[in-house]
Amino acid sequence: MSEKYVYFFGKDRVEGNRKMKDILGGKGANLAEMAGIGLPVPPGFTISTEVCSLFAEAGDKIPPGVNEEIVVNLHRLERLTKQKFGDPKNPLLVSVRSGAKFSMPGMMDTVLNLGLNDKTIDGLAEKAGERRFALDCYRRLIHMFGDVGLEIPKERFETILRKKKKQVKVIQDFELSERALQELISDYRRLIKKETGKDFPQDVKKQLIMAISAVFKSWNNPRAITYRRLNYIPDDLGTAVNIQQMVFGNFGKASATGVGFTRNPASGEKELYGEYLFNAQGEDVVAGIRTPTPLSNLEKEMPSAYKELKTYTNRLEKHYKDVQDFEFTIQEKKLFMLQTRSGKRTGMAAIKIAVDLVEEGLVSKEEALMMVEPEALHQLLHPVFDAGEKAKHAVIATGLAASPGAAAGQTVFTADEAVEWKKQGKKVILVREETSPDDIHGMSASQGILTATGGMTSHAAVVGRQMGKPAVVGCGELRLDDEKKIFQAGRAKIKMGEWISIDGTSGEVFHGQIQTQPSEIIQVVRGEREPEDSRIYQYFTKFLFWADQVKRLGVRANTDTPEDARIALAFGAEGVGLARTEHMFFEKKRLPFIKEMILSETKEERRKALSKLLPFQKKDFYGLFREMRGHPVTIRTLDPPLHEFLPRREDLMVEIAVLKCDEEKKNQAKIKELEKLLERVKALSEFNPMLGHRGCRLGISYPEIIEMQATAIFEAVCQLRKEREKVYPEIMIPLVGTKEELANQKKIINRIAEEVMENHKVKIDYSIGTMIEIPRAAITADEIAQEAEFFSFGTNDLTQTIYGLSRDDGVGFLAYYLANGIWKNNPFETIDESGVGELMKWAVEKGRKARPNLKVGICGVHGGDPRSVYFCHKIGLDYVSCSAYQVPVARLAAAQITLKEKDAGRKH
Ligand code: ADP
Ligand code: MG
Ligand code: MG
């Protein structure tokens, strides 16, 4: 087999390109692409991602065939660079860089300056004319190699470095003298010897093999695994390894290293954006060791390099048709590009950039729609601080506004604390010197993130933006004392557990808990702000309007109240997919009538109680219909078991006991009443209420209930019709398992409709359908469809019943399953396609066979989950219904899946 595993990139020979991310990883594919279009990229080669699994299969060894290819390409690199790997006079130094198909910022490992040893260092020093620089490279190599290749915790090296700096009284790394560096190197090597029993490897080939192996192994380190889980990246993709000639940003004052974005990743503003450090090497900028200088300064300090950078990054943006996140190094005023990829951005920036790129003519509307993650739209709805409230709190510090949004929480200092406190139901802000990939779980559990060091491209900033969490970074005034669990900012001293508030849009940090207010978009949607006053709202609507032009699926909202319905409409809902009538019953004023109805002993009594509820229900439906202005409104008849409307058994027993204790006589009447209630509660109690007397089973055994609800619906319709309003009610029966159940309910509803129409002399258009949430209903969908005019998948109950798993009880072990990869996804969040989904498909097909114009939708929480929306589109549903706030997400997801299908069709 002549499989190719290694791909070269250099001036005259480029074997890869941007389309080869699968085998070259993102970094490798883009390095090849940049080299291919003539950008100044140090040459090198990429070992393909396929080797990652071969490596693991071979027992963590590089297979011999691959090894040969590595040697061939190393020679090629030597010829091109006119240097030799391991040569004491003219040594070639390389970086060994990980890089998977999807970028996993900082998750895996990289080693720089590889190829240095006690001999080659002389060659490097001689060539550079500077021994200090060579020593600086050497100490960095040993540090990184010790961490990545030998798995010695990097903190050990950092501690030694800190001590050394203190001892020789310098603050910055670059101030260390030759002698200090020499001593540092000895200390590092002693540490390695002590930890591993071996010396730092002098054989450069061995260095290379060990580093490559370490990168492959890093694919399976715990933080990389966690990251993949959080981002739904498959475990079997593997990482590639890039070996690339070193360029040196630590070569004195005319050298620098930096990172940037072609547009502002927080706001989307069109401006070159980023940071750099002079006299430093790669990791220094992102690690937040020194707070770096904004790129705008480079224009003054190194105008020619800046101009070049601007030209190249502009070109990259045009070439990739998207915002780029890039790395560069300047070695003695000469610019090198080291990485480019599409830049992660906030939801706000994503929308603005997508719209701007269309208007600049760089991408089509359809391409723009594919550029925004549906979930990212949520960020635009995040609350912000109320200006008035903000003014009442003292600003204790100001940092960089790294990820927008407002957050308030109790101060914690470690990721584990954050997770622990969150579990106890607390809101926390994670405060760190800087964050690292080990902190991911804690960041995920926090309301927001605050760090003392690091720039706009530091780990905290990048991850914050990606998670949509407010973050303030590089807050230089912070003094953290992790041991005392306290931080200081100016004169303020904040202890663990004290409330702070951070504004990721302005960079301000406040003492105390500031009330938030709705985001601009929500304000507009609620009619509290004019659309013209909100630029972001205009971008938002323009973008989603494009989505509507593309999508096939309808998007409806699950809403019970006119207020919610108004918001849903403003967010673009095309109807109500689920109005739960019971939510209306829970209201204080009505609960007594509900209780009366439940406690009734005879049908007559029950009727009487229900007749008191009728005006309320009619008003509810009237309000909802009116608000929806003729869009279809699906009303579900009463669903939950009746005991949910009554007090809990234990509470009643306690109450009775207490009353009996003090002055029984005076309380006789009350006690009697409660005892009757208790009897009823006992009678209604079930072992498995969710599988008990609920849904249509209620409407069948107590037809009076459904009669009342139907009357309320049709009376409301008639009233609106008289007011010349359009209404289209769809009545939906829950928990149907057999055709007969539905037929029973339908008969009652039709009868009531006739009566009401007759009374008012009005003709009403309506339809009756059912939820499909019991496996039996799905299996016998053809029979059910004989009665049902529409189906709506209740995927919450359907998932519970198919899995035999209670959504409310399963949480404990479900968390364990997910953490340990037993299940990839939570089936209550994303439709389980091969189980629940298969049955849905079956039901759609059988149902439509029996009734070709059967309308089919979904109203479970899955309706707002983009991947589930994709699935619903694929199996041919007519609409999805989700909460009002998820409507924009569903609209975008529905557009994306249409475009994806179109794209796939084109390829075939
Ligand atoms: P990550 O994926 O964590 O960003 P990288 O492989 O990009 O890791 O490398 C880490 C740092 O080292 C980056 O700042 C990068 O620019 C720098 N770097 C990598 N290779 C080289 C090289 N050949 N010369 C100079 N700097 C490099
Ligand atoms: Mg990088
Ligand atoms: Mg249900």
Side-chain angles (χ1 to χ4, degrees):
M1 228 173 48
S2 65
E3 189 106 43
K4 185 173 169 66
Y5 291 118
V6 181
Y7 295 77
F8 195 80
F9 57 90
K11 223 178 184 166
D12 300 313
R13 187 188 182 100
V14 183
E15 298 177 334
N17 62 51
R18 64 195 271 199
K19 297 212 174 85
M20 294 163 71
K21 282 191 187 152
D22 281 333
I23 53 170
L24 299 182
K27 202 180 285 168
N30 287 332
L31 281 169
E33 184 81 12
M34 285 199 289
I37 61 171
L39 262 50
V41 176
F45 53 90
T46 305
I47 307 172
S48 100
T49 55
E50 291 164 351
V51 179
C52 194
S53 55
L54 296 180
F55 172 85
E57 279 162 31
D60 287 356
K61 283 201 177 62
I62 301 170
V66 178
N67 230 340
E68 270 168 38
E69 275 187 62
I70 295 176
V71 172
V72 169
N73 280 282
L74 188 60
H75 286 154
R76 192 169 279 146
L77 186 60
E78 289 176 334
R79 283 198 300 278
L80 183 68
T81 59
K82 303 197 173 66
Q83 295 173 331
K84 248 180 130 49
F85 194 53
D87 189 285
K89 289 236 159 61
N90 182 24
L92 167 67
L93 301 195
V94 296
S95 61
V96 176
R97 318 172 65 185
S98 61
K101 176 172 178 183
F102 301 106
S103 82
M104 299 167 56
M107 282 302 127
M108 291 182 302
D109 297 318
T110 288
V111 182
L112 304 180
N113 310 318
L114 200 115
L116 274 178
N117 60 21
D118 293 349
K119 297 221 171 67
T120 56
I121 188 171
D122 294 337
L124 181 67
E126 184 123 337
K127 261 195 337 183
E130 234 222 275
R131 189 159 185 88
R132 201 209 148 271
F133 153 74
L135 287 166
D136 187 53
C137 293
Y138 201 20
R139 65 101 184 167
R140 287 169 184 272
L141 167 64
I142 301 172
H143 179 158
M144 277 185 260
F145 191 88
D147 164 26
V148 177
L150 304 171
E151 293 176 29
I152 301 169
K154 56 175 179 286
E155 294 75 36
R156 302 272 170 82
F157 293 98
E158 278 155 18
T159 311
I160 296 176
L161 175 61
R162 222 175 301 127
K163 262 197 205 139
K164 181 55 67 187
K165 285 202 280 192
K166 204 164 173 194
Q167 184 199 342
V168 299
K169 299 198 178 64
V170 303
I171 292 169
Q172 306 289 3
D173 296 1
F174 62 78
E175 294 168 327
L176 286 166
S177 66
E178 246 183 76
R179 182 151 153 230
L181 285 168
Q182 192 70 63
E183 287 163 3
L184 193 59
I185 289 168
S186 308
D187 290 349
Y188 279 178
R189 289 170 73 164
R190 223 169 294 127
L191 173 69
I192 288 182
K193 179 89 191 198
K194 197 175 116 218
E195 291 290 323
T196 65
K198 291 194 191 115
D199 286 316
F200 170 78
Q202 289 294 316
D203 177 353
V204 295
K205 293 242 164 66
K206 198 163 163 194
Q207 286 178 7
L208 184 62
I209 289 174
M210 286 174 77
I212 293 172
S213 304
V215 171
F216 280 137
K217 275 195 251 172
S218 73
W219 176 254
N220 283 318
N221 72 30
R223 47 175 220 240
I225 292 174
T226 310
Y227 186 90
R228 289 201 291 275
R229 290 271 140 75
L230 286 173
N231 292 281
Y232 305 105
I233 297 174
D235 284 330
D236 57 6
L237 290 179
T239 179
V241 183
N242 303 285
I243 288 114
Q244 187 178 26
Q245 183 192 16
M246 282 301 301
V247 288
F248 302 99
N250 56 338
F251 199 84
K253 277 203 165 148
S255 300
T257 177
V259 290
F261 288 83
T262 52
R263 299 187 191 215
N264 185 318
S267 69
E269 220 53 62
K270 193 174 178 179
E271 58 191 358
L272 193 62
Y273 192 83
E275 292 134 351
Y276 70 101
L277 282 175
F278 71 87
N279 203 354
Q281 223 177 24
E283 303 282 64
D284 299 0
V285 203
V286 266
I289 296 166
R290 284 192 259 160
T291 298
T293 321
L295 261 186
S296 48
N297 264 42
L298 189 64
E299 190 168 11
K300 283 173 247 147
E301 284 187 25
M302 285 186 233
S304 70
Y306 180 80
K307 218 173 126 206
E308 261 187 308
L309 184 68
K310 201 147 178 155
T311 312
Y312 290 137
T313 53
N314 260 335
R315 222 174 117 194
L316 281 175
E317 197 183 85
K318 291 222 166 72
H319 185 73
Y320 282 91
K321 298 182 174 183
D322 193 9
V323 172
Q324 295 298 298
D325 163 358
F326 54 84
E327 290 174 2
F328 67 92
T329 282
I330 298 169
Q331 180 176 338
E332 298 201 287
K333 297 196 176 151
K334 173 148 183 34
L335 176 74
F336 294 93
M337 298 303 295
L338 284 170
Q339 192 173 326
T340 193
R341 60 184 168 203
S342 117
K344 297 234 154 78
R345 60 206 79 166
T346 62
M348 188 113 71
I351 294 275
K352 177 161 164 42
I353 289 166
V355 173
D356 285 347
L357 290 181
V358 171
E359 284 170 359
E360 288 164 29
L362 224 53
V363 303
S364 68
K365 285 178 191 166
E366 301 198 340
E367 285 167 325
L369 286 170
M370 295 307 290
M371 289 173 66
V372 179
E373 288 280 347
E375 305 269 24
L377 296 179
H378 279 309
Q379 293 172 29
L380 281 84
L381 312 181
H382 281 180
V384 294
F385 287 134
D386 178 278
E389 285 299 313
K390 211 162 133 170
K392 291 185 202 151
H393 289 77
V395 177
I396 55 172
T398 305
L400 301 172
S403 180
Q410 291 173 274
T411 305
V412 295
F413 292 96
T414 69
D416 290 337
E417 283 161 14
V419 171
E420 203 40 55
W421 287 42
K422 160 105 191 278
K423 267 197 200 144
Q424 299 166 16
K426 293 178 182 160
K427 291 191 166 151
V428 300
I429 303 250
L430 179 60
V431 183
R432 304 280 289 157
E433 194 66 40
E434 59 191 84
T435 61
S436 78
D438 303 319
D439 294 323
I440 292 275
H441 58 300
M443 298 169 82
S444 175
S446 307
Q447 301 297 311
I449 302 142
L450 172 62
T451 69
T453 56
M456 289 297 283
T457 43
S458 64
H459 181 265
V462 171
V463 175
R465 285 194 291 270
Q466 204 184 330
M467 289 183 171
K469 299 251 152 146
V472 173
V473 305
C475 197
E477 299 135 90
L478 295 197
R479 299 272 168 279
L480 271 80
D481 188 333
D482 281 349
E483 259 150 49
K484 288 204 191 112
K485 301 278 177 202
I486 195 167
F487 81 78
Q488 274 192 47
R491 261 181 287 158
K493 259 193 192 162
I494 313 286
K495 290 198 229 54
M496 174 147 134
E498 271 187 77
W499 281 83
I500 55 170
S501 302
I502 61 169
D503 186 339
T505 316
S506 67
E508 293 158 304
V509 182
F510 304 86
H511 194 177
Q513 180 182 11
I514 306 183
Q515 292 308 321
T516 53
Q517 69 169 21
S519 80
E520 255 179 59
I521 289 178
I522 301 275
Q523 290 179 37
V524 176
V525 160
R526 290 192 187 151
E528 295 157 3
R529 192 188 186 114
E530 292 304 318
E532 302 79 58
D533 287 348
S534 171
R535 197 180 62 156
I536 189 66
Y537 176 80
Q538 291 164 28
Y539 273 101
F540 183 77
T541 40
K542 185 180 261 179
F543 184 75
L544 285 169
F545 174 69
W546 295 342
D548 290 341
Q549 289 178 315
V550 164
K551 72 182 179 47
R552 178 190 66 71
L553 267 179
V555 177
R556 296 193 186 186
N558 298 345
T559 64
D560 309 329
T561 62
E563 296 75 55
D564 262 8
R566 193 171 316 141
I567 289 170
L569 268 186
F571 275 137
E574 296 149 304
V576 170
L578 173 65
R580 308 173 190 83
T581 48
E582 61 271 17
H583 281 199
M584 305 163 172
F585 285 180
F586 279 115
E587 242 178 59
K588 255 211 176 104
K589 270 195 254 159
R590 307 158 186 205
L591 213 49
F593 302 124
I594 284 282
K595 273 193 200 155
E596 193 182 322
M597 186 265 288
I598 299 173
L599 293 176
S600 304
E601 275 157 18
T602 66
K603 200 171 207 156
E604 280 323 302
E605 270 179 50
R606 199 170 313 119
R607 277 236 161 85
K608 224 171 88 202
L610 280 164
S611 71
K612 291 183 199 157
L613 277 170
L614 179 65
F616 288 111
Q617 282 260 280
K618 183 181 161 190
K619 205 170 134 236
D620 294 332
F621 298 140
Y622 174 87
L624 196 54
F625 290 147
R626 206 184 131 96
E627 204 57 64
M628 291 307 291
R629 297 178 215 144
H631 292 287
V633 177
T634 309
I635 291 173
R636 179 177 70 187
T637 53
L638 193 64
D639 184 44
L642 293 181
H643 72 81
E644 281 195 12
F645 299 104
L646 298 179
R648 277 161 28 120
R649 182 175 170 159
E650 296 75 20
D651 296 347
L652 271 177
M653 283 158 74
V654 170
E655 201 180 337
I656 294 171
V658 169
L659 283 175
K660 279 190 172 163
C661 269
D662 53 63
E663 305 178 63
E664 190 169 338
K665 293 227 171 59
K666 226 173 80 193
N667 293 325
Q668 275 309 341
K670 178 85 185 155
I671 291 172
K672 215 162 186 177
E673 187 194 322
L674 288 180
E675 277 174 344
K676 188 177 157 199
L677 187 59
L678 180 62
E679 276 318 300
R680 194 70 187 131
V681 169
K682 277 185 186 163
L684 285 174
S685 86
E686 295 171 306
F687 280 113
N688 281 320
M690 282 304 140
L691 299 177
H693 196 181
R694 57 173 284 226
C696 66
R697 299 161 194 173
L698 284 172
I700 292 171
S701 48
Y702 301 120
E704 315 76 70
I705 297 180
I706 197 112
E707 281 169 8
M708 182 279 283
Q709 293 201 297
T711 310
I713 293 170
F714 294 123
E715 288 280 350
V717 174
C718 285
Q719 188 179 335
L720 282 158
R721 289 288 295 280
K722 281 182 193 155
E723 294 165 14
R724 303 192 171 282
E725 297 280 349
K726 277 199 213 134
V727 198
Y728 189 73
E730 299 171 329
I731 301 169
M732 178 159 81
I733 312 298
L735 219 77
V736 163
T738 70
K739 170 183 151 186
E740 292 75 17
E741 289 174 315
L742 180 57
N744 170 293
Q745 298 285 281
K746 206 172 145 183
K747 207 165 139 200
I748 300 175
I749 295 166
N750 281 334
R751 191 187 78 230
I752 300 282
E754 291 301 325
E755 284 171 21
V756 177
M757 286 196 273
E758 180 60 36
N759 277 347
H760 291 273
K761 305 276 177 258
V762 174
K763 170 111 186 54
I764 302 170
D765 230 4
Y766 66 97
S767 60
I768 301 175
T770 179
M771 303 223 11
I772 300 287
E773 53 186 340
I774 297 285
R776 194 185 187 286
I779 292 166
T780 61
D782 48 349
E783 293 177 17
I784 305 263
Q786 290 165 13
E787 296 291 341
E789 289 168 88
F790 64 87
F791 284 176
S792 178
F793 286 105
T795 41
N796 304 343
D797 274 315
L798 193 57
T799 303
Q800 296 202 86
T801 44
I802 287 180
Y803 270 86
L805 165 61
S806 152
R807 183 159 69 130
D808 310 310
D809 300 318
V811 259
F813 79 86
L814 194 57
Y816 180 88
Y817 271 29
L818 295 172
N820 291 280
I822 311 269
W823 290 351
K824 288 250 149 53
N825 300 308
N826 179 345
F828 294 114
E829 268 168 32
T830 296
I831 289 178
D832 152 49
E833 293 188 15
S834 44
V836 178
E838 268 307 295
L839 199 56
M840 289 171 71
K841 229 157 82 184
W842 164 277
V844 173
E845 274 166 30
K846 287 203 114 187
R848 291 227 173 103
K849 239 182 216 148
R851 185 189 287 264
N853 62 350
L854 181 78
K855 203 177 343 162
V856 188
I858 175 177
C859 62
V861 285
H862 301 91
D865 166 61
R867 283 175 303 159
S868 306
V869 172
Y870 296 163
F871 180 75
C872 291
H873 171 99
K874 283 190 274 189
I875 64 168
L877 296 204
D878 295 298
Y879 67 86
V880 297
S881 189
C882 52
S883 81
Y885 293 89
Q886 284 172 320
V887 166
V889 175
R891 283 162 77 193
L892 179 55
Q896 289 187 343
I897 185 67
T898 317
L899 293 172
K900 277 186 197 175
E901 263 185 1
K902 217 163 121 189
D903 195 41
R906 242 181 255 136
K907 280 184 188 136
H908 282 297

